[in-house]
Amino acid sequence: MTSIDTRDRADGGRTQDSVVGGVLRGRVFRSRHDAISVRWQPRTLIVCGGIGVAVVIIAALSLTTGDYPVSLGGVINSLVGRGSGAESFIVITLRLPRLVAALLIGAALGMSGSVFQSLSRNPLGSPDIVGFTSGAASAAVLEILVFHGGQFAIAVAAIIGGLITAMLVYLLSLRRGRIAGYRLILVGIGIGAMLASVTSYLLTRASLYDALNAQVWLIGSLNAVGWNVVTPLAVTLIILTPITVYVGRALSWMELGDDAAKGLGVPVERTRLVLIITGTALAAAATAAAGPIGFVALASPQLCRRLIRTSGPLITPAAVMGAFLLSASDFGAQRVIPSTALPVGVMTGVIGGGYLCWLLAHELRAGRS
């Protein structure tokens, strides 16, 4: 490791700037006797702070505007339990769970997209592109149309379907004990296309009422989200986020190649399997809560990378960016057409489709140059 500007702190800790093979950049804080070592980048903190401010602004607008406007003071009073009955009902029961769900789902999709893009070493390697979201959606639609399950059963089916699809794609992508990024993407696209056909067939065999309910869910919507959805989603993220962030530290080394990572002591296959499971579970949990919301997992890591201007995985910044993208998209979906609340998947599809076209054109130009 090349280190410069190492300074001893009064408390016995040390900070240093570090560069490792062009992949790990930033400042490293080491506590006394090197018991704790944390790498951080000032630009990352600035970008995440700026996105966080934007999230707060969107949250304030989401809670105060609408058919029944509530002042910012009224929102604060409602949050601390001192608001009027009508304002408390509007803020706490109707608007707040939708906002919290958008933040949690966006964060989950952002982390999942960051993990899979790093594992595949491809900007197209997100769970909605490689078929994991399709597996969760197909299993959920099967539960809705055939078994007529409730919200909990649909959520469990979506998570199981996503995990089964991920394991199938993982096994089919293995070649001589290794996974190539392009192979993972191609296999995932193929599996996703087949699952989409299964979903379409199930819709044709369902009654009109059930098919309409399933189709609304398939677009991706937060219109009917309540605390009964937010609570299990929050518990899932509390469990999965620390595992993903902790194990994801090895992604920087794995991006150097499997042989180099193994030489540095990284258990490559075990790490890859754990990250595939946690990344898929995050995407499946988000899908179970609001349906398959496209392009957030695809765009969040790439936008962070362009803002922070660094290589390597950006799991935490991607989570912050995902939370902002989905909350802003949901706010726009509620306000773009007066008196009509669009499914958030419509908004993310419009924005994400344009972004995907730009990304493909950019990659094509970069390949030609």
Side-chain angles (χ1 to χ4, degrees):
M1 178 175 67
T2 302
S3 301
I4 62 174
D5 190 26
T6 302
R7 300 186 296 274
D8 292 328
R9 291 162 47 97
D11 60 1
R14 293 175 294 156
T15 62
Q16 57 185 220
D17 293 334
S18 63
V19 179
V20 182
V23 175
L24 298 181
R25 291 187 175 90
R27 301 178 64 82
V28 178
F29 169 81
R30 299 183 188 279
S31 66
R32 187 189 299 271
H33 307 304
D34 290 340
I36 299 175
S37 177
V38 179
R39 180 174 59 89
W40 60 280
Q41 295 181 351
R43 187 179 181 89
T44 301
L45 295 179
I46 293 172
V47 170
C48 289
I51 299 173
V53 171
V55 168
V56 172
I57 294 173
I58 291 295
L61 292 173
S62 298
L63 294 177
T64 57
T65 62
D67 293 336
Y68 188 94
V70 180
S71 66
L72 187 58
V75 169
I76 295 175
N77 288 332
S78 298
L79 293 178
V80 299
R82 293 184 297 190
S84 65
E87 289 184 344
S88 295
F89 176 77
I90 293 295
V91 174
I92 303 299
T93 305
L94 300 181
R95 294 178 182 172
L96 187 59
R98 179 170 184 152
L99 172 64
V100 174
L103 296 175
L104 294 177
I105 293 170
L109 292 175
M111 287 189 288
S112 181
S114 178
V115 166
F116 285 114
Q117 288 181 14
S118 183
L119 286 175
S120 63
R121 302 168 199 167
N122 193 305
L124 295 178
S126 68
D128 46 346
I129 297 295
V130 299
F132 300 159
T133 303
S134 297
S138 296
V141 169
L142 181 67
E143 179 67 33
I144 293 172
L145 299 182
V146 177
F147 300 104
H148 305 286
Q151 185 67 43
F152 179 77
I154 295 171
V156 172
I159 293 174
I160 293 175
L163 291 174
I164 292 175
T165 304
M167 291 300 101
L168 180 61
V169 172
Y170 176 80
L171 293 175
L172 293 177
S173 301
L174 282 175
R175 185 177 183 182
R176 299 176 183 176
R178 296 185 178 182
I179 293 180
Y182 74 91
R183 187 178 178 88
L184 178 71
I185 292 174
L186 291 177
V187 172
I189 290 175
I191 296 296
M194 290 188 290
L195 290 171
S197 298
V198 172
T199 302
S200 298
Y201 173 77
L202 290 173
L203 290 174
T204 63
R205 305 300 297 175
S207 66
L208 179 61
Y209 177 79
D210 289 340
L212 287 175
N213 286 337
Q215 188 60 50
V216 171
W217 186 87
L218 283 172
I219 295 175
S221 175
L222 296 171
N223 292 345
V225 168
W227 291 114
N228 61 324
V229 174
V230 172
T231 301
L233 179 63
V235 172
T236 302
L237 262 68
I238 290 173
I239 296 172
L240 294 177
T241 299
I243 299 174
T244 305
V245 173
Y246 178 77
V247 179
R249 298 183 305 169
L251 284 171
S252 296
W253 305 111
M254 293 172 64
E255 288 185 356
L256 297 173
D258 288 359
D259 293 336
K262 289 179 180 178
L264 293 168
V266 177
V268 173
E269 293 304 325
R270 184 177 65 189
T271 300
R272 181 181 288 120
L273 181 60
V274 170
L275 287 173
I276 287 178
I277 292 174
T278 58
T280 303
L282 285 169
T287 302
I293 298 174
F295 296 108
V296 174
L298 175 70
S300 298
Q302 292 301 312
L303 292 176
C304 286
R305 195 177 304 279
R306 283 162 173 77
L307 291 173
I308 298 175
R309 300 176 185 174
T310 186
S311 56
L314 300 169
I315 295 177
T316 302
V320 179
M321 178 63 77
F324 167 71
L325 288 179
L326 192 56
S327 59
S329 296
D330 187 52
F331 177 76
Q334 296 178 69
R335 304 294 186 268
V336 66
I337 299 179
S339 71
T340 301
L342 295 176
V344 68
V346 174
M347 187 65 65
T348 60
V350 171
I351 298 173
Y355 171 78
L356 180 59
C357 292
W358 175 86
L359 179 62
L360 292 173
H362 180 279
E363 293 296 318
L364 181 61
R365 289 195 300 269
R368 286 178 176 175
S369 60

